[in-house]
Amino acid sequence: MPDLKTSPLHDKHVALGAKMAEFGGWLMPLEYAGVLKEHNAVRESVGVFDVSHLGKAVVRGPGAAAYVNACLSNDLGRIEPGKAQYTLCCDDATGGVVDDLIAYLHGDDHVFLIPNAANTAEVVRRLAAGAPDGVEVVDQHADFAILAVQGTHSDEVLDAMGLPTGHDYMSFVEAEYAGHTVVVCRTGYTGERGYELVAPNAVAGELWDAILAAGESHAIAPAGLGARDTLRTEMGYPLHGQDISLDVTPVQARLGWAVGWKKDAFWGKDVLVREKGEGPSRLLRGLVASGRGIPRPGMRVLLTPDFAVGAVTSGTFSPSLKKGVGLALISAQVQEGAEVSVDVRGRAEVFTVTKPPFMTPGVRES
Amino acid sequence: MYPEDLKYTVEHEWVRSPGESDGSVRVGITHFAQDALGDIVYVQLPDVGTDVEAGTAVGELESTKSVSDVYAPVTGTVVARNENLDGTPELVNTDPYGDGWLFEVTPSDPSVVDGLLDAEAYQQQL
């Protein structure tokens, strides 16, 4: 594996005996004690993930927020400074999704972005290319660690460390920790109540150790990308590169809620407004197994044995529901509630077409 | 990690002779295989009575992240399978050489078992 980037916490993961895997050009923990234990810790108590591979970029200068708002899909006018927003970077010509990201609105002249690891350079390139005079777009990918504390007991863990908790879902608060500024965001990718901490590399190790120590009484589990994937799949959260890509539009992925349709401009507006009006030919849908089948990316979705209507984009065994669940891009003519079969290595396994999430999220619990 | 009294295959399976059923050998996967697969969530095994051929896929082990074939280590007839794995597939992870066994097969040529890898030879090719 040549030239993989590593997290500032790499040595901690190795010391914990983590299995490591490549993801988006980074060598990150796949699992520690096992995906099921880590998944259940997050669903039932609390877990901590190192997601330092995620991108970081800042857009700043006079009119920075207005510029971002004219490029990315969601409407920054819907939120106040101190709030974050899920948004999309679409290709202007095709409307396809270049990346999905979180935008943190600090103020009119300052927006912080968290794109996916593999797409950060491209998002920065596109934003920098069109930036007006005075607005700079800086790739800060390797400058910060991101630690996600996720689960119903996350507040107790951060409280014990003297970090702020209890702010609204999708809002963030800056705090001092060991002489460094840490941004505590009420965000995550698990469907549970939780926080993501954006911290300078220099304090990452100290934060990680403190989180594990503070979480000990709640049996906190260090959790890897394996559990992150089963947790997000249960929520139906799309993963860029699997469920969404340059070949998939937000209309097809049913991400229209993350598009500011009434805005004057955003990349891809013309083509997306047209597709929304005409209706998409395919949609990202949920699949729930009737039997023992476990869907995997690339498997064909069939209406009858010789009539394919799409393909699975994400799929796994749901540790919480104890059955196979997945996301699939399938013909828009197939309705919710329909029974389809998935070609699981030559076996036709029956699935029901549903609307994710597959279980109730706890992200907004107060 | 790799008991001396078992035979092994390059497909990371072990064979215990004799098995519980008359004339059979018992088959499972090794510690190395269960660790590489991760948490096993579904086990599909051949039906009792199935004739199997050495080296061919006869079942599947599905983990949270991937799926892997189960191979027949010898040619013969399946005479038993571990029905407990249907409800508790994690036994393959927690006790791969004991309660996590997969199936038993009656070899058509019992001498073939002697030709499989011993523990030392198996570990050398890991």
Side-chain angles (χ1 to χ4, degrees):
Chain A
M1 288 187 274
D3 298 333
L4 289 182
K5 298 186 192 80
T6 55
S7 152
L9 298 168
H10 180 78
D11 293 347
K12 305 269 183 199
H13 305 316
V14 172
L16 284 166
K19 283 185 196 166
M20 307 295 288
E22 189 275 337
F23 188 77
W26 290 61
L27 186 65
M28 298 300 292
L30 182 64
E31 59 176 75
Y32 304 81
V35 173
L36 295 178
K37 276 189 188 140
E38 296 164 25
H39 178 107
N40 292 335
V42 173
R43 282 277 180 262
E44 289 157 17
S45 182
V46 62
V48 58
F49 301 79
D50 176 11
V51 287
S52 299
H53 61 288
L54 290 174
K56 306 99 194 171
V58 65
V59 184
R60 63 191 167 204
Y67 171 59
V68 170
N69 207 33
C71 301
L72 305 185
S73 69
N74 211 336
D75 187 354
L76 282 174
R78 289 176 186 167
I79 62 168
E80 306 278 313
K83 298 269 187 183
Q85 184 180 65
Y86 178 79
T87 188
L88 304 162
C89 174
C90 293
D91 183 80
D92 197 33
T94 68
V97 180
V98 175
D99 197 21
D100 62 338
L101 54 172
I102 305 284
Y104 296 81
L105 182 62
H106 286 260
D108 290 345
D109 57 355
H110 183 186
V111 180
F112 186 74
L113 302 174
I114 301 203
N116 282 287
N119 301 326
T120 303
E122 180 61 13
V123 169
V124 168
R125 186 190 71 76
R126 288 181 184 234
L127 283 171
D133 285 349
V135 172
E136 61 169 354
V137 183
V138 184
D139 188 337
Q140 300 181 321
H141 202 152
D143 299 349
F144 298 95
I146 305 183
L147 305 185
V149 180
Q150 301 280 298
T152 193
H153 289 304
S154 333
D155 288 53
E156 288 98 313
V157 174
L158 299 197
D159 287 345
M161 297 167 63
L163 290 171
T165 57
H167 37 297
D168 287 345
Y169 182 55
M170 296 303 282
S171 68
F172 62 94
V173 176
E174 287 186 359
E176 285 293 307
Y177 187 84
H180 295 272
T181 300
V182 175
V183 183
V184 181
C185 319
R186 176 94 185 267
T187 47
Y189 196 47
T190 63
E192 293 301 323
R193 182 188 182 91
Y195 300 88
E196 289 174 307
L197 313 181
V198 183
N201 287 342
V203 75
E206 202 173 328
L207 263 183
W208 174 264
D209 290 343
I211 290 167
L212 287 178
E216 209 175 342
S217 55
H218 295 288
I220 194 170
L225 294 178
R228 188 171 156 85
D229 196 55
T230 53
L231 288 158
R232 72 94 192 167
T233 303
E234 286 184 343
M235 285 301 123
Y237 295 157
L239 174 64
H240 195 277
Q242 279 186 210
D243 311 295
I244 51 177
S245 68
L246 259 180
D247 297 327
V248 181
T249 68
V251 178
Q252 295 163 17
R254 301 217 292 191
L255 294 172
W257 61 271
V259 177
W261 295 106
K262 292 178 181 160
K263 292 199 298 184
D264 290 340
F266 57 89
W267 289 337
K269 184 179 178 186
D270 292 350
V271 62
L272 291 173
V273 166
R274 195 177 325 126
E275 187 184 30
K276 185 174 179 243
E278 290 170 357
S281 60
R282 59 180 185 171
L283 287 169
L284 190 64
R285 300 274 202 184
L287 298 177
V288 176
S290 304
R292 301 296 293 265
I294 300 172
R296 301 289 181 183
M299 288 178 175
R300 291 186 312 150
V301 180
L302 305 152
L303 209 51
T304 62
D306 50 7
F307 184 40
V309 288
V312 175
T313 53
S314 281
T316 190
F317 173 82
S318 159
S320 305
L321 302 173
K322 309 256 186 274
K323 54 184 159 186
V325 299
L327 298 173
L329 272 169
I330 51 184
S331 164
Q333 290 173 9
V334 179
Q335 299 295 311
E336 225 170 272
E339 273 198 353
V340 293
S341 60
V342 173
D343 181 353
V344 179
R345 294 175 297 281
R347 290 192 305 275
E349 295 279 357
V350 177
F351 284 77
T352 303
V353 176
T354 65
K355 183 178 184 188
F358 301 108
M359 52 186 294
T360 310
V363 290
R364 291 172 194 277
E365 73 182 24
S366 54
Chain B
M1 295 284 194
Y2 304 99
E4 295 286 331
D5 59 330
L6 302 181
K7 292 290 192 175
Y8 297 87
T9 75
V10 294
E11 307 290 359
H12 306 290
E13 290 175 357
W14 54 260
V15 175
R16 174 175 284 131
S17 184
E20 297 278 316
S21 315
D22 241 10
S24 76
V25 295
R26 182 167 277 200
V27 179
I29 66 166
T30 65
H31 168 74
F32 175 87
Q34 70 79 21
D35 186 59
L37 280 168
D39 289 334
I40 290 163
V41 295
Y42 179 51
V43 180
Q44 201 210 14
L45 295 172
D47 290 329
V48 169
T50 307
D51 290 326
V52 296
E53 191 181 334
T56 61
V58 297
E60 289 174 356
L61 293 170
E62 193 130 20
S63 72
T64 49
K65 54 191 182 222
S66 66
V67 62
S68 170
D69 284 324
V70 173
Y71 296 91
V74 295
T75 299
T77 305
V78 175
V79 292
R81 56 184 211 166
N82 187 350
E83 301 294 347
N84 288 336
L85 298 182
D86 200 46
T88 49
E90 62 272 20
L91 289 172
V92 180
N93 293 113
T94 55
D95 193 8
Y97 302 112
D99 290 343
W101 65 281
L102 299 182
F103 61 95
E104 291 190 330
V105 56
T106 303
S108 47
D109 175 4
S111 69
V112 169
V113 175
D114 298 331
L116 299 175
L117 302 174
D118 63 19
E120 192 186 339
Y122 173 68
Q123 286 176 81
Q124 273 170 7
Q125 54 90 57
L126 285 182

PDB file of all heavy atoms in Angstrom, chain A residues 187-200:
ATOM      1  N   THR A 187     -22.822  16.429  15.536  1.00  0.00           N
ATOM      2  CA  THR A 187     -23.013  15.785  14.236  1.00  0.00           C
ATOM      3  C   THR A 187     -22.532  14.341  14.322  1.00  0.00           C
ATOM      4  O   THR A 187     -21.992  13.922  15.345  1.00  0.00           O
ATOM      5  CB  THR A 187     -22.192  16.510  13.137  1.00  0.00           C
ATOM      6  OG1 THR A 187     -20.867  16.726  13.620  1.00  0.00           O
ATOM      7  CG2 THR A 187     -22.804  17.845  12.763  1.00  0.00           C
ATOM      8  N   GLY A 188     -22.704  13.594  13.254  1.00  0.00           N
ATOM      9  CA  GLY A 188     -22.230  12.216  13.241  1.00  0.00           C
ATOM     10  C   GLY A 188     -22.754  11.458  12.046  1.00  0.00           C
ATOM     11  O   GLY A 188     -23.452  12.029  11.200  1.00  0.00           O
ATOM     12  N   TYR A 189     -22.376  10.176  11.994  1.00  0.00           N
ATOM     13  CA  TYR A 189     -22.710   9.359  10.818  1.00  0.00           C
ATOM     14  C   TYR A 189     -23.213   7.994  11.283  1.00  0.00           C
ATOM     15  O   TYR A 189     -23.057   6.997  10.609  1.00  0.00           O
ATOM     16  CB  TYR A 189     -21.435   9.210   9.981  1.00  0.00           C
ATOM     17  CG  TYR A 189     -21.570   8.749   8.548  1.00  0.00           C
ATOM     18  CD1 TYR A 189     -22.506   9.291   7.673  1.00  0.00           C
ATOM     19  CD2 TYR A 189     -20.709   7.770   8.059  1.00  0.00           C
ATOM     20  CE1 TYR A 189     -22.573   8.868   6.359  1.00  0.00           C
ATOM     21  CE2 TYR A 189     -20.774   7.345   6.737  1.00  0.00           C
ATOM     22  CZ  TYR A 189     -21.712   7.904   5.896  1.00  0.00           C
ATOM     23  OH  TYR A 189     -21.770   7.493   4.585  1.00  0.00           O
ATOM     24  N   THR A 190     -23.799   7.985  12.508  1.00  0.00           N
ATOM     25  CA  THR A 190     -24.214   6.708  13.092  1.00  0.00           C
ATOM     26  C   THR A 190     -25.711   6.642  13.345  1.00  0.00           C
ATOM     27  O   THR A 190     -26.239   5.560  13.562  1.00  0.00           O
ATOM     28  CB  THR A 190     -23.524   6.490  14.456  1.00  0.00           C
ATOM     29  OG1 THR A 190     -23.947   7.534  15.362  1.00  0.00           O
ATOM     30  CG2 THR A 190     -22.007   6.520  14.322  1.00  0.00           C
ATOM     31  N   GLY A 191     -26.376   7.805  13.373  1.00  0.00           N
ATOM     32  CA  GLY A 191     -27.797   7.822  13.729  1.00  0.00           C
ATOM     33  C   GLY A 191     -28.023   7.962  15.216  1.00  0.00           C
ATOM     34  O   GLY A 191     -29.168   8.031  15.657  1.00  0.00           O
ATOM     35  N   GLU A 192     -26.940   8.006  16.003  1.00  0.00           N
ATOM     36  CA  GLU A 192     -27.094   8.174  17.447  1.00  0.00           C
ATOM     37  C   GLU A 192     -26.787   9.615  17.831  1.00  0.00           C
ATOM     38  O   GLU A 192     -26.112  10.340  17.107  1.00  0.00           O
ATOM     39  CB  GLU A 192     -26.118   7.244  18.190  1.00  0.00           C
ATOM     40  CG  GLU A 192     -26.421   5.768  18.018  1.00  0.00           C
ATOM     41  CD  GLU A 192     -27.812   5.380  18.507  1.00  0.00           C
ATOM     42  OE1 GLU A 192     -28.260   5.930  19.529  1.00  0.00           O
ATOM     43  OE2 GLU A 192     -28.434   4.516  17.863  1.00  0.00           O
ATOM     44  N   ARG A 193     -27.271  10.008  18.999  1.00  0.00           N
ATOM     45  CA  ARG A 193     -26.836  11.269  19.590  1.00  0.00           C
ATOM     46  C   ARG A 193     -25.316  11.232  19.676  1.00  0.00           C
ATOM     47  O   ARG A 193     -24.735  10.210  20.052  1.00  0.00           O
ATOM     48  CB  ARG A 193     -27.426  11.375  20.993  1.00  0.00           C
ATOM     49  CG  ARG A 193     -27.090  12.656  21.713  1.00  0.00           C
ATOM     50  CD  ARG A 193     -27.543  12.616  23.164  1.00  0.00           C
ATOM     51  NE  ARG A 193     -27.240  13.896  23.801  1.00  0.00           N
ATOM     52  CZ  ARG A 193     -28.089  14.937  23.841  1.00  0.00           C
ATOM     53  NH1 ARG A 193     -29.291  14.820  23.330  1.00  0.00           N
ATOM     54  NH2 ARG A 193     -27.731  16.065  24.405  1.00  0.00           N
ATOM     55  N   GLY A 194     -24.660  12.342  19.354  1.00  0.00           N
ATOM     56  CA  GLY A 194     -23.204  12.320  19.458  1.00  0.00           C
ATOM     57  C   GLY A 194     -22.570  13.598  18.965  1.00  0.00           C
ATOM     58  O   GLY A 194     -23.254  14.544  18.555  1.00  0.00           O
ATOM     59  N   TYR A 195     -21.254  13.598  19.035  1.00  0.00           N
ATOM     60  CA  TYR A 195     -20.476  14.794  18.727  1.00  0.00           C
ATOM     61  C   TYR A 195     -19.274  14.428  17.875  1.00  0.00           C
ATOM     62  O   TYR A 195     -18.748  13.315  17.981  1.00  0.00           O
ATOM     63  CB  TYR A 195     -19.980  15.438  20.035  1.00  0.00           C
ATOM     64  CG  TYR A 195     -21.119  15.853  20.937  1.00  0.00           C
ATOM     65  CD1 TYR A 195     -21.660  14.942  21.855  1.00  0.00           C
ATOM     66  CD2 TYR A 195     -21.674  17.124  20.855  1.00  0.00           C
ATOM     67  CE1 TYR A 195     -22.728  15.301  22.680  1.00  0.00           C
ATOM     68  CE2 TYR A 195     -22.737  17.492  21.668  1.00  0.00           C
ATOM     69  CZ  TYR A 195     -23.268  16.578  22.582  1.00  0.00           C
ATOM     70  OH  TYR A 195     -24.321  16.929  23.381  1.00  0.00           O
ATOM     71  N   GLU A 196     -18.847  15.388  17.054  1.00  0.00           N
ATOM     72  CA  GLU A 196     -17.588  15.254  16.341  1.00  0.00           C
ATOM     73  C   GLU A 196     -16.679  16.396  16.787  1.00  0.00           C
ATOM     74  O   GLU A 196     -17.085  17.553  16.781  1.00  0.00           O
ATOM     75  CB  GLU A 196     -17.820  15.261  14.825  1.00  0.00           C
ATOM     76  CG  GLU A 196     -18.498  13.966  14.361  1.00  0.00           C
ATOM     77  CD  GLU A 196     -18.905  13.944  12.900  1.00  0.00           C
ATOM     78  OE1 GLU A 196     -19.604  14.889  12.466  1.00  0.00           O
ATOM     79  OE2 GLU A 196     -18.543  12.994  12.198  1.00  0.00           O
ATOM     80  N   LEU A 197     -15.452  16.031  17.192  1.00  0.00           N
ATOM     81  CA  LEU A 197     -14.495  17.013  17.696  1.00  0.00           C
ATOM     82  C   LEU A 197     -13.448  17.255  16.630  1.00  0.00           C
ATOM     83  O   LEU A 197     -12.785  16.327  16.193  1.00  0.00           O
ATOM     84  CB  LEU A 197     -13.803  16.496  18.963  1.00  0.00           C
ATOM     85  CG  LEU A 197     -14.686  15.885  20.056  1.00  0.00           C
ATOM     86  CD1 LEU A 197     -13.830  15.455  21.253  1.00  0.00           C
ATOM     87  CD2 LEU A 197     -15.739  16.879  20.515  1.00  0.00           C
ATOM     88  N   VAL A 198     -13.334  18.507  16.205  1.00  0.00           N
ATOM     89  CA  VAL A 198     -12.295  18.881  15.242  1.00  0.00           C
ATOM     90  C   VAL A 198     -11.193  19.562  16.046  1.00  0.00           C
ATOM     91  O   VAL A 198     -11.439  20.596  16.677  1.00  0.00           O
ATOM     92  CB  VAL A 198     -12.843  19.823  14.159  1.00  0.00           C
ATOM     93  CG1 VAL A 198     -11.757  20.142  13.136  1.00  0.00           C
ATOM     94  CG2 VAL A 198     -14.065  19.205  13.471  1.00  0.00           C
ATOM     95  N   ALA A 199      -9.999  18.968  16.038  1.00  0.00           N
ATOM     96  CA  ALA A 199      -8.930  19.440  16.930  1.00  0.00           C
ATOM     97  C   ALA A 199      -7.598  19.457  16.187  1.00  0.00           C
ATOM     98  O   ALA A 199      -7.357  18.611  15.323  1.00  0.00           O
ATOM     99  CB  ALA A 199      -8.826  18.510  18.142  1.00  0.00           C
ATOM    100  N   PRO A 200      -6.733  20.399  16.545  1.00  0.00           N
ATOM    101  CA  PRO A 200      -5.399  20.401  15.928  1.00  0.00           C
ATOM    102  C   PRO A 200      -4.680  19.075  16.215  1.00  0.00           C
ATOM    103  O   PRO A 200      -4.856  18.482  17.289  1.00  0.00           O
ATOM    104  CB  PRO A 200      -4.682  21.559  16.623  1.00  0.00           C
ATOM    105  CG  PRO A 200      -5.749  22.396  17.237  1.00  0.00           C
ATOM    106  CD  PRO A 200      -6.899  21.478  17.522  1.00  0.00           C
TER     107      PRO A 200
END
